[in-house]
Amino acid sequence: MRVLQAATARFVSTIIAIFGIAIVVFVAVRIVPGNPIAMMLPPGATSGDIDRLEALYGLDKSILEQFAIWLGNALQGDLGTSISLRRDVLGLVLGRLPATLELSILALVFALALGFALALAGARYRGTPAEAGIDVVNGVGLSVPDFLWGLFLILLFGVIWPVFHISGRITPQSDLPFATQFFLAESLVRLRFDLAADLLAHMFMPALALSLPLAAMIGRLLKQSIKETLHLDYVETARTRGYSENAVIFSEALRNALLPTLTLIGVQFTFLIGGTVIIERLFSYEGLGNMAIDAVINRDLPLIQGIVLVFAVIVTAVNLAVDLTYALLNPRLRRG
Amino acid sequence: MVSGSASRRRLPPRLWLSGLWLGLVIFAAALAPWISPHDPLNQDLFAGRLPPLWMEGSQPSYWLGTDNLGRDVLSRILHGSRIAIAVAFVAGICTCLIGTALGMAAGYFGGWTDRVISRLVEIWMAFPPVLFCILLIAVLGTGLVAIIVAIIVIDWTRFCRVVRAEALNQSRMDYVESARVAGYSRYRTLLAEIFPNILPTATALLSLEMGIAVIVEAILSFVNLSISTDAPTWGGMIAEGRISIHQAWWVLAFPLVALFLTVLSFSQFGEGLKDRFDPVLR
């Protein structure tokens, strides 16, 4: 019962957080200097023209009124109309969101694979030069951000050894068989492995760039946790019962070292999602982040508002999911 | 703070290596107009995309080649270091001062001061930094001042959290009690007794923060939301190099290496200081 109560409380606080972010975004976007309406009109437009357009976008009302209208509409799924693209914001955002989600999830998979490999190798060869080497790799991985990794990957796999595509999401072609925007998932479901391979060749570098800092973090923390559990009694018992060192690490130590790593992954995954903004730009990947930068450059208030809000919802949802998983997995909380 | 035995200990390579590179960059930033072989803005369309010195078709005065418009890559990197170092120091130091002041107040005074500041930090942490940055740049407009303000507004919590914990620890120590008994005022205790003990932590964090500031400026120049495109910046050079990458890789590669080494050095210098100041490790 206590878990259920805690979960409800956590859910309510999530909704409050999203509401708070909505207010912050709304207010911030209203105090933007520079008139976006004036930028939409051709030179020589009269002030009457500006007033008419402002009325059309509701910018002539008071801030409080504007917020009430915006919130009411947002709850009904209407996030307004983009000023630069002149289309429905929700439609634009939902059209781009799948691309960003697929990229983030692929990056998470890469980070888990690399991080676990580093941690297990480091724990297995602890105290040897191999472990010292892994520590150096982790250290560099931690202190260099995804943006720089992306640029190095472009030089490496785009120029020196051009095996992957450096821009776009898919090779342009007229007859894409997709019904949704989840291209990668759908190409796998439809067994179109040629398209899946093309998508992966485009996504490989941005996903790897996003994953490297997280992989280094997982590698360091998980190795530390495994090494700590290796001194515990039950692990010693397993060892005296004749288990090999590999078996001890994989079957005994790893299982109990996972919990702190899980929390780290949850928190850092939200940073990874934030990182897609610049990485998508770098690889001209048509996702939400790339759209966000265009929206800032074009001063497209409704679009900025919509994108930031959607990102905020995703981030808080991930945090909520992590907390709930943690509560379910942690035996001390479960028994309570 | 470094005791005799620690200073006699050999300087760890990551401290002197990163210190050496940072020294070079600061030197380049200070003397860029005098040591640059060319004017960084001088275009020469007949000398466009010249490769670096050791490649076929290079010209001897362009060591690292030229970009699409025939501007000298080395001179642009040297001049670009000025913006990088300026942002690193101004944004880094301001963030450090504000975050440390609030952190010390929260940790030492406790009570409602602590409650207000801690709640503020929590709210800040809930906002993904990249989005926060985009939002701030949209609000503040582009330009060097906007970037510096954005970094301060986003990152003060990084100092505040750590310093608060440190100040809380220190305020429970015996020497603080003796200062009180000796009749020191609370502010005097805070500044004369607790502050010197927080300084090492704050300095290590400052170095890390400078690295972050350099990368934030580079990213914003890359997406063209930083200062005007006239002044050479590493991020701007990287953006131009990204476009002509198949024709002239060096336009991207050299500023990238400069940025990479600078960011890595700031963070390694900070980590090195942290280890050195850490009394447990010492």
Side-chain angles (χ1 to χ4, degrees):
Chain A
M1 264 341 267
R2 242 164 67 184
V3 172
L4 198 66
Q5 264 178 6
T8 318
R10 187 65 188 72
F11 191 70
V12 171
S13 78
T14 301
I15 289 175
I16 293 172
I18 292 174
F19 188 74
I21 289 175
I23 294 177
V24 170
V25 171
F26 184 87
V27 172
V29 162
R30 295 300 124 162
I31 53 173
V32 172
N35 188 342
I37 295 293
M39 284 165 59
M40 287 173 67
L41 289 165
T46 63
S47 61
D49 293 334
I50 294 178
D51 289 346
R52 265 201 301 284
L53 258 182
E54 282 191 341
L56 185 66
Y57 285 99
L59 294 175
D60 55 343
K61 301 193 174 67
S62 76
I63 277 225
L64 227 74
E65 253 178 297
Q66 285 185 41
F67 183 69
I69 294 170
W70 180 75
L71 191 68
N73 289 340
L75 288 175
Q76 294 167 29
D78 176 7
L79 291 175
T81 309
S82 153
I83 291 175
S84 61
L85 301 167
R86 312 213 173 162
R87 282 174 54 201
D88 165 45
V89 166
L90 189 69
L92 286 168
V93 171
L94 291 184
R96 289 290 190 98
L97 182 60
T100 299
L101 287 181
E102 282 192 336
L103 184 64
S104 311
I105 291 168
L106 187 65
L108 181 63
V109 172
F110 283 1
L112 290 173
L114 282 170
F116 273 70
L118 282 172
L120 291 171
R124 179 67 187 83
Y125 300 107
R126 59 190 178 281
T128 69
E131 193 199 356
I134 287 172
D135 284 345
V136 170
V137 170
N138 278 341
V140 175
L142 275 173
S143 47
V144 177
D146 44 16
F147 174 63
L148 290 184
W149 287 128
L151 288 162
F152 278 117
L153 290 174
I154 285 182
L155 278 177
L156 181 62
F157 293 126
V159 179
I160 298 173
W161 184 39
V163 284
F164 298 110
H165 297 281
I166 62 170
S167 69
R169 187 178 180 201
I170 190 165
T171 308
Q173 45 199 288
S174 51
D175 54 339
L176 284 177
F178 300 128
T180 66
Q181 291 292 317
F182 289 95
F183 287 179
L184 186 60
E186 211 183 326
S187 67
L188 292 173
V189 171
R190 288 173 188 264
L191 305 179
R192 286 291 303 272
F193 296 117
D194 55 323
L195 289 177
D198 185 61
L199 284 161
L200 284 174
H202 281 88
M203 291 164 82
F204 179 81
M205 286 197 285
L208 187 59
L210 281 169
S211 73
L212 286 174
L214 178 55
M217 268 179 241
I218 294 174
R220 188 156 82 171
L221 181 68
L222 187 61
K223 188 190 79 171
Q224 194 58 39
S225 314
I226 292 176
K227 279 170 75 177
E228 276 162 19
T229 48
L230 283 175
H231 298 299
L232 297 180
D233 287 345
Y234 76 96
V235 177
E236 286 297 337
T237 316
R239 220 176 259 137
T240 50
R241 275 149 100 204
Y243 280 79
S244 74
E245 189 62 24
N246 284 338
V248 166
I249 289 177
F250 273 96
S251 68
E252 303 296 325
L254 182 59
R255 190 154 34 104
N256 288 285
L258 271 180
L259 211 51
T261 309
L262 181 78
T263 320
L264 171 95
I265 293 169
V267 174
Q268 292 300 322
F269 184 51
T270 61
F271 284 103
L272 188 151
I273 294 173
T276 58
V277 173
I278 188 66
I279 289 298
E280 285 180 2
R281 190 68 172 187
L282 182 55
F283 290 94
S284 315
Y285 184 87
E286 295 101 5
L288 207 50
N290 209 341
M291 192 186 242
I293 290 176
D294 282 330
V296 172
I297 291 173
N298 295 324
R299 304 238 150 164
D300 189 337
L301 308 189
L303 190 55
I304 296 174
Q305 209 163 264
I307 293 172
V308 173
L309 197 64
V310 167
F311 266 117
V313 170
I314 297 174
V315 167
T316 37
V318 169
N319 284 335
L320 179 66
V322 171
D323 284 359
L324 295 183
T325 322
Y326 187 81
L328 285 178
L329 289 183
N330 192 336
R332 268 169 300 198
L333 288 178
R334 196 170 45 205
R335 243 181 267 126
Chain B
M1 289 310 297
V2 179
S3 72
S5 69
S7 56
R8 270 198 301 277
R9 199 179 60 178
R10 217 154 47 90
L11 208 58
R14 73 165 164 196
L15 261 183
W16 68 259
L17 273 174
S18 55
L20 192 69
W21 174 259
L22 293 176
L24 265 175
V25 176
I26 292 168
F27 177 78
L31 300 178
W34 295 280
I35 56 175
S36 296
H38 294 270
D39 179 345
L41 301 178
N42 197 17
Q43 304 183 6
D44 180 357
L45 294 179
F46 293 104
R49 291 181 191 159
L50 287 176
L53 204 55
W54 59 89
M55 281 172 67
E56 190 111 353
S58 62
Q59 279 185 17
S61 72
Y62 297 104
W63 290 7
L64 299 182
T66 60
D67 66 6
N68 297 330
L69 300 172
R71 294 173 298 192
D72 181 36
V73 170
L74 176 61
S75 304
R76 290 177 70 73
I77 290 177
L78 292 173
H79 276 82
S81 67
R82 313 193 100 184
I83 306 267
I85 289 297
V87 172
F89 275 83
V90 177
I93 290 172
C94 291
T95 312
C96 178
L97 287 178
I98 294 171
T100 305
L102 289 173
M104 281 190 354
Y108 180 64
F109 293 126
W112 65 265
T113 318
D114 184 27
R115 244 170 283 148
V116 170
I117 293 174
S118 295
R119 197 65 64 239
L120 222 61
V121 171
E122 271 168 40
I123 295 172
W124 243 251
M125 305 291 291
F127 231 108
V130 179
L131 288 185
F132 205 174
C133 189
I134 287 182
L135 201 60
L136 279 172
I137 294 298
V139 173
L140 299 165
T142 56
L144 210 52
V145 177
I147 292 174
I148 290 170
V149 172
I151 293 171
I152 298 170
V153 169
I154 295 169
D155 269 354
W156 64 273
T157 53
R158 204 186 288 273
F159 288 87
C160 191
R161 268 183 319 150
V162 178
V163 169
R164 175 187 171 273
E166 188 77 30
L168 199 63
N169 268 339
Q170 297 288 340
S171 63
R172 293 194 185 117
M173 302 240 178
D174 289 342
Y175 75 89
V176 174
E177 184 57 26
S178 355
R180 200 185 62 80
V181 173
Y184 278 32
S185 76
R186 271 151 67 94
Y187 289 98
R188 187 167 167 201
T189 315
L190 187 58
L191 289 178
E193 301 295 319
I194 293 183
F195 180 64
N197 286 300
I198 283 170
L199 206 54
T201 313
T203 313
L205 277 178
L206 174 63
S207 185
L208 295 174
E209 184 62 38
M210 286 178 167
I212 293 168
V214 170
I215 198 79
V216 168
E217 195 282 320
I219 287 176
L220 290 172
S221 316
F222 178 81
V223 296
N224 222 345
L225 287 173
S226 177
I227 58 168
S228 74
T229 40
D230 275 358
T233 59
W234 292 347
M237 294 177 75
I238 288 170
E240 288 161 13
R242 165 77 178 80
I243 295 166
S244 59
I245 185 158
H246 293 295
Q247 293 85 38
W249 56 265
W250 52 88
V251 183
L252 171 68
F254 294 123
L256 174 59
V257 169
L259 182 59
F260 170 77
L261 288 176
T262 308
V263 170
L264 187 66
S265 297
F266 270 126
S267 89
Q268 291 304 312
F269 198 74
E271 294 286 337
L273 286 180
K274 209 159 73 184
D275 284 355
R276 209 170 163 74
F277 288 140
D278 193 333
V280 179
L281 288 174
R282 196 165 58 201

